[in-house]
Amino acid sequence: MTLTAAANRRTASDRIVFDEIGKHYVRAGDQLQVLDRCSFTVEPGEFVSVIGPSGCGKTTLLNMAAGFTAPDDGSVRVGDDVVTRPHPSRGVVFQQYAIFPWLTVARNIEFGLTLRANRRPRGERKDVVRRYLELMGLEPFASAYPKELSGGMRQRVAIARAYATDPQVLLMDEPFAALDAQTRERMQELLHETQLTERRTVLFITHSVEEAIFLSNRVVVLSARPTGVREVVDIGIPAPRSPETRLSPRFVDLRRRLEGLLRSASTDEAGARR
Ligand SMILES: Nc1ncnc2c1ncn2[C@@H]1O[C@H](COP(=O)(O)OP(=O)(O)OP(=O)(O)O)[C@@H](O)[C@H]1O
Ligand SMILES: [Mg+2]
Protein backbone atom coordinates (compact mmCIF):
# COMPACT_ATOMS: atom_id res chain seq x y z
CA MET A 1 0.00 0.00 0.00
CA THR A 2 1.32 3.46 -0.84
CA LEU A 3 1.66 6.07 1.88
CA THR A 4 -1.14 8.14 0.37
CA ALA A 5 -3.41 5.13 0.36
CA ALA A 6 -2.51 4.53 3.99
CA ALA A 7 -3.36 8.13 4.87
CA ASN A 8 -6.67 7.86 3.00
CA ARG A 9 -7.83 4.65 4.57
CA ARG A 10 -8.84 6.38 7.81
CA THR A 11 -12.23 5.00 8.67
CA ALA A 12 -14.69 4.86 11.53
CA SER A 13 -12.35 2.37 13.17
CA ASP A 14 -10.25 5.33 14.28
CA ARG A 15 -12.82 6.83 16.66
CA ILE A 16 -11.72 7.13 20.33
CA VAL A 17 -14.56 6.82 22.84
CA PHE A 18 -14.22 7.53 26.57
CA ASP A 19 -17.40 6.02 27.97
CA GLU A 20 -18.39 6.86 31.55
CA ILE A 21 -14.86 6.55 32.89
CA GLY A 22 -14.33 6.26 36.63
CA LYS A 23 -10.93 5.97 38.33
CA HIS A 24 -9.63 6.26 41.87
CA TYR A 25 -6.19 5.89 43.39
CA VAL A 26 -5.35 4.92 46.95
CA ARG A 27 -2.56 6.91 48.55
CA ALA A 28 -1.44 6.64 52.16
CA GLY A 29 -4.66 4.80 52.96
CA ASP A 30 -6.82 7.59 51.49
CA GLN A 31 -8.96 7.08 48.45
CA LEU A 32 -8.70 9.77 45.79
CA GLN A 33 -11.55 9.74 43.28
CA VAL A 34 -9.92 11.20 40.18
CA LEU A 35 -12.43 10.59 37.37
CA ASP A 36 -16.17 10.23 37.65
CA ARG A 37 -18.41 9.33 34.68
CA CYS A 38 -16.13 11.11 32.26
CA SER A 39 -17.33 10.75 28.66
CA PHE A 40 -16.24 12.24 25.36
CA THR A 41 -15.39 11.16 21.83
CA VAL A 42 -12.65 11.96 19.32
CA GLU A 43 -14.06 11.45 15.83
CA PRO A 44 -12.00 9.85 13.01
CA GLY A 45 -9.47 12.33 11.63
CA GLU A 46 -10.32 14.86 14.32
CA PHE A 47 -7.79 16.75 16.48
CA VAL A 48 -9.16 17.13 20.00
CA SER A 49 -7.36 18.83 22.88
CA VAL A 50 -8.10 18.23 26.53
CA ILE A 51 -7.51 20.99 29.06
CA GLY A 52 -8.32 21.06 32.77
CA PRO A 53 -6.92 21.99 36.17
CA SER A 54 -3.58 20.46 37.16
CA GLY A 55 -4.06 17.02 38.68
CA CYS A 56 -7.60 16.57 37.34
CA GLY A 57 -6.70 13.34 35.50
CA LYS A 58 -5.66 14.29 31.96
CA THR A 59 -2.60 12.05 31.89
CA THR A 60 -4.66 9.28 33.48
CA LEU A 61 -7.17 9.52 30.60
CA LEU A 62 -4.41 9.44 27.99
CA ASN A 63 -2.78 6.47 29.71
CA MET A 64 -6.09 4.65 29.53
CA ALA A 65 -6.35 5.25 25.76
CA ALA A 66 -2.74 4.03 25.42
CA GLY A 67 -3.53 0.92 27.49
CA PHE A 68 -1.06 1.73 30.30
CA THR A 69 -3.80 2.22 32.94
CA ALA A 70 -7.18 0.53 33.33
CA PRO A 71 -10.36 2.39 34.34
CA ASP A 72 -12.32 1.20 37.41
CA ASP A 73 -15.61 1.96 35.67
CA GLY A 74 -16.55 2.44 32.04
CA SER A 75 -14.31 1.75 29.08
CA VAL A 76 -12.11 3.34 26.45
CA ARG A 77 -12.71 2.12 22.91
CA VAL A 78 -10.65 2.70 19.81
CA GLY A 79 -12.80 1.65 16.87
CA ASP A 80 -14.44 -1.63 17.84
CA ASP A 81 -11.79 -2.57 20.38
CA VAL A 82 -11.94 -1.99 24.11
CA VAL A 83 -8.43 -0.87 25.10
CA THR A 84 -6.91 -3.30 27.57
CA ARG A 85 -3.18 -3.08 26.82
CA PRO A 86 -0.66 -1.06 24.81
CA HIS A 87 -0.61 -1.65 21.06
CA PRO A 88 1.54 -0.21 18.24
CA SER A 89 -1.64 0.99 16.49
CA ARG A 90 -1.78 3.73 19.12
CA GLY A 91 1.19 6.09 18.88
CA VAL A 92 2.15 8.00 22.02
CA VAL A 93 4.23 11.19 22.35
CA PHE A 94 5.21 12.21 25.88
CA GLN A 95 6.36 15.48 27.39
CA GLN A 96 9.80 14.05 28.05
CA TYR A 97 11.78 13.18 24.99
CA ALA A 98 11.12 9.48 24.60
CA ILE A 99 13.62 8.83 21.85
CA PHE A 100 16.55 6.46 22.05
CA PRO A 101 19.87 8.24 22.75
CA TRP A 102 21.87 5.40 21.16
CA LEU A 103 20.10 5.63 17.78
CA THR A 104 20.52 8.31 15.12
CA VAL A 105 17.59 10.51 14.13
CA ALA A 106 16.87 8.35 11.07
CA ARG A 107 17.09 5.11 13.09
CA ASN A 108 14.78 6.55 15.76
CA ILE A 109 12.15 7.31 13.11
CA GLU A 110 12.62 3.88 11.56
CA PHE A 111 12.50 2.07 14.88
CA GLY A 112 8.75 1.36 15.04
CA LEU A 113 8.82 -0.04 11.51
CA THR A 114 11.34 -2.71 12.50
CA LEU A 115 9.14 -4.12 15.29
CA ARG A 116 7.24 -7.27 14.55
CA ALA A 117 3.76 -5.71 14.76
CA ASN A 118 4.64 -3.03 12.21
CA ARG A 119 7.48 -4.55 10.23
CA ARG A 120 7.92 -3.13 6.72
CA PRO A 121 10.34 -4.12 3.99
CA ARG A 122 13.64 -2.25 4.03
CA GLY A 123 12.92 -0.19 0.90
CA GLU A 124 9.60 0.98 2.25
CA ARG A 125 11.17 1.85 5.61
CA LYS A 126 13.70 4.09 3.85
CA ASP A 127 10.87 5.88 2.02
CA VAL A 128 8.93 6.47 5.22
CA VAL A 129 12.03 7.75 7.04
CA ARG A 130 12.86 10.10 4.15
CA ARG A 131 9.31 11.42 4.06
CA TYR A 132 9.20 12.24 7.79
CA LEU A 133 12.72 13.66 7.89
CA GLU A 134 11.55 16.05 5.18
CA LEU A 135 8.21 16.85 6.78
CA MET A 136 9.87 17.69 10.11
CA GLY A 137 12.79 19.57 8.54
CA LEU A 138 15.27 17.08 9.96
CA GLU A 139 17.08 15.98 6.77
CA PRO A 140 20.40 17.61 7.69
CA PHE A 141 20.33 15.75 11.01
CA ALA A 142 19.47 12.26 9.77
CA SER A 143 22.70 10.79 11.08
CA ALA A 144 22.92 12.94 14.23
CA TYR A 145 22.35 11.52 17.72
CA PRO A 146 19.72 12.98 20.09
CA LYS A 147 22.37 14.57 22.34
CA GLU A 148 23.41 16.75 19.38
CA LEU A 149 19.87 18.15 18.98
CA SER A 150 17.92 20.98 20.63
CA GLY A 151 14.78 20.22 22.64
CA GLY A 152 12.49 21.25 19.78
CA MET A 153 14.37 19.01 17.34
CA ARG A 154 14.12 16.05 19.69
CA GLN A 155 10.37 16.50 19.93
CA ARG A 156 10.21 16.65 16.14
CA VAL A 157 11.96 13.28 16.08
CA ALA A 158 9.45 11.91 18.62
CA ILE A 159 6.52 13.17 16.52
CA ALA A 160 8.04 11.85 13.28
CA ARG A 161 8.52 8.47 14.93
CA ALA A 162 4.92 8.39 16.13
CA TYR A 163 3.51 9.28 12.68
CA ALA A 164 5.91 6.95 10.85
CA THR A 165 4.26 3.74 12.04
CA ASP A 166 0.95 4.95 10.55
CA PRO A 167 -0.89 4.48 13.85
CA GLN A 168 -4.67 4.29 14.09
CA VAL A 169 -4.65 7.12 16.63
CA LEU A 170 -2.06 9.48 18.11
CA LEU A 171 -1.98 10.32 21.81
CA MET A 172 0.12 13.31 22.88
CA ASP A 173 0.63 14.39 26.49
CA GLU A 174 1.95 17.97 26.65
CA PRO A 175 4.61 17.28 24.01
CA PHE A 176 5.71 20.94 23.83
CA ALA A 177 5.61 21.79 27.54
CA ALA A 178 9.40 21.85 27.95
CA LEU A 179 10.04 24.15 24.98
CA ASP A 180 10.63 27.92 24.97
CA ALA A 181 7.72 30.07 23.77
CA GLN A 182 9.07 30.73 20.27
CA THR A 183 10.01 27.11 19.55
CA ARG A 184 6.67 26.05 20.94
CA GLU A 185 4.73 28.23 18.48
CA ARG A 186 6.79 26.91 15.58
CA MET A 187 6.14 23.34 16.71
CA GLN A 188 2.41 24.05 16.85
CA GLU A 189 2.51 25.34 13.29
CA LEU A 190 4.48 22.29 12.16
CA LEU A 191 2.10 19.90 13.89
CA HIS A 192 -0.89 21.73 12.37
CA GLU A 193 0.59 21.43 8.87
CA THR A 194 1.40 17.77 9.48
CA GLN A 195 -2.15 17.11 10.61
CA LEU A 196 -3.53 18.77 7.45
CA THR A 197 -1.60 16.38 5.23
CA GLU A 198 -1.74 13.25 7.44
CA ARG A 199 -5.24 13.53 8.93
CA ARG A 200 -4.93 11.28 11.97
CA THR A 201 -7.22 10.97 14.95
CA VAL A 202 -5.33 12.90 17.63
CA LEU A 203 -5.93 13.25 21.36
CA PHE A 204 -3.74 16.09 22.60
CA ILE A 205 -3.27 17.18 26.20
CA THR A 206 -2.03 20.64 27.05
CA HIS A 207 -1.99 23.31 29.73
CA SER A 208 -2.00 26.03 27.11
CA VAL A 209 -5.39 27.36 26.02
CA GLU A 210 -3.77 29.09 23.05
CA GLU A 211 -2.10 25.87 21.90
CA ALA A 212 -5.39 23.99 22.23
CA ILE A 213 -7.27 26.55 20.10
CA PHE A 214 -4.57 26.78 17.45
CA LEU A 215 -4.35 23.03 16.89
CA SER A 216 -7.82 21.67 17.50
CA ASN A 217 -11.16 21.00 15.89
CA ARG A 218 -12.66 20.78 19.38
CA VAL A 219 -11.45 21.38 22.93
CA VAL A 220 -12.69 19.33 25.88
CA VAL A 221 -12.62 21.27 29.15
CA LEU A 222 -12.51 19.02 32.20
CA SER A 223 -13.89 19.95 35.60
CA ALA A 224 -12.02 19.68 38.89
CA ARG A 225 -11.86 16.29 40.69
CA PRO A 226 -13.83 14.11 40.71
CA THR A 227 -13.40 14.97 37.07
CA GLY A 228 -16.01 14.92 34.34
CA VAL A 229 -16.44 16.94 31.16
CA ARG A 230 -17.34 20.54 31.91
CA GLU A 231 -17.76 21.68 28.33
CA VAL A 232 -16.79 20.76 24.78
CA VAL A 233 -15.97 23.79 22.64
CA ASP A 234 -16.07 23.78 18.83
CA ILE A 235 -13.17 25.85 17.51
CA GLY A 236 -14.54 26.42 14.00
CA ILE A 237 -11.54 28.36 12.70
CA PRO A 238 -10.87 27.29 9.10
CA ALA A 239 -7.57 25.64 8.15
CA PRO A 240 -4.87 26.31 7.26
CA ARG A 241 -4.20 28.34 10.39
CA SER A 242 -1.22 30.67 10.48
CA PRO A 243 0.55 32.87 13.05
CA GLU A 244 -1.98 35.63 12.17
CA THR A 245 -4.83 33.32 13.22
CA ARG A 246 -3.79 33.94 16.83
CA LEU A 247 -4.75 37.62 16.43
CA SER A 248 -8.18 37.04 14.86
CA PRO A 249 -11.29 38.14 16.82
CA ARG A 250 -12.61 34.56 16.93
CA PHE A 251 -9.33 33.27 18.37
CA VAL A 252 -9.22 36.01 21.00
CA ASP A 253 -12.89 35.37 21.95
CA LEU A 254 -12.29 31.64 22.28
CA ARG A 255 -9.22 32.25 24.41
CA ARG A 256 -11.19 34.44 26.77
CA ARG A 257 -14.01 31.89 26.99
CA LEU A 258 -11.75 28.89 27.58
CA GLU A 259 -9.61 30.72 30.13
CA GLY A 260 -12.81 31.62 31.97
CA LEU A 261 -13.97 28.00 31.98
CA LEU A 262 -10.58 26.81 33.18
CA ARG A 263 -10.45 29.43 35.91
CA SER A 264 -13.88 28.49 37.24
CA ALA A 265 -12.95 24.78 37.16
CA SER A 266 -9.86 25.52 39.27
CA THR A 267 -11.89 27.67 41.67
CA ASP A 268 -14.39 24.81 42.12
CA GLU A 269 -11.47 22.61 43.09
CA ALA A 270 -10.18 25.11 45.65
CA GLY A 271 -13.73 25.36 47.03
CA ALA A 272 -14.10 21.60 47.23
CA ARG A 273 -10.87 21.29 49.25
CA ARG A 274 -11.92 23.84 51.88
N1 LIG B 1 -0.19 5.93 40.16
C1 LIG B 1 -0.81 6.82 40.94
N2 LIG B 1 -0.98 6.58 42.26
C2 LIG B 1 -1.62 7.46 43.05
N3 LIG B 1 -2.14 8.63 42.62
C3 LIG B 1 -1.99 8.92 41.33
C4 LIG B 1 -1.31 8.04 40.42
N4 LIG B 1 -1.34 8.60 39.19
C5 LIG B 1 -1.98 9.78 39.31
N5 LIG B 1 -2.38 9.97 40.59
C6 LIG B 1 -3.13 11.12 41.10
O1 LIG B 1 -4.28 11.27 40.28
C7 LIG B 1 -4.54 12.64 40.01
C8 LIG B 1 -4.56 12.85 38.49
O2 LIG B 1 -3.25 12.66 37.98
P1 LIG B 1 -2.90 12.98 36.44
O3 LIG B 1 -1.44 12.82 36.30
O4 LIG B 1 -3.79 12.18 35.57
O5 LIG B 1 -3.33 14.52 36.36
P2 LIG B 1 -3.08 15.58 35.19
O6 LIG B 1 -4.40 16.22 34.92
O7 LIG B 1 -2.37 14.97 34.07
O8 LIG B 1 -2.14 16.64 35.94
P3 LIG B 1 -1.07 17.65 35.29
O9 LIG B 1 -1.91 18.73 34.65
O10 LIG B 1 -0.35 18.19 36.49
O11 LIG B 1 -0.21 16.90 34.34
C9 LIG B 1 -3.45 13.42 40.73
O12 LIG B 1 -3.97 13.89 41.96
C10 LIG B 1 -2.36 12.41 40.97
O13 LIG B 1 -1.66 12.71 42.15
MG1 LIG C 1 -0.46 15.26 33.18
Side-chain angles (χ1 to χ4, degrees), residues 25 27 32 34 53-60 174 207 225:
Y25 290 109
R27 215 173 27 192
L32 179 73
V34 177
S54 186
C56 75
K58 301 180 293 296
T59 295
T60 301
E174 303 200 47
H207 268 110
R225 289 194 309 263

Side-chain angles (χ1 to χ4, degrees), residues 10 29 42 53 67-68 92 108 125 131 146 152 154 157-160 176 180 198 217 227 233 241 245 249 259:
R10 306 286 122 210
V42 186
F68 302 144
V92 185
N108 261 292
R125 292 208 301 268
R131 173 178 158 79
R154 286 182 215 177
V157 177
I159 290 169
F176 305 148
D180 65 83
E198 306 282 301
N217 301 111
T227 300
V233 176
R241 299 172 188 172
T245 305
E259 277 166 0

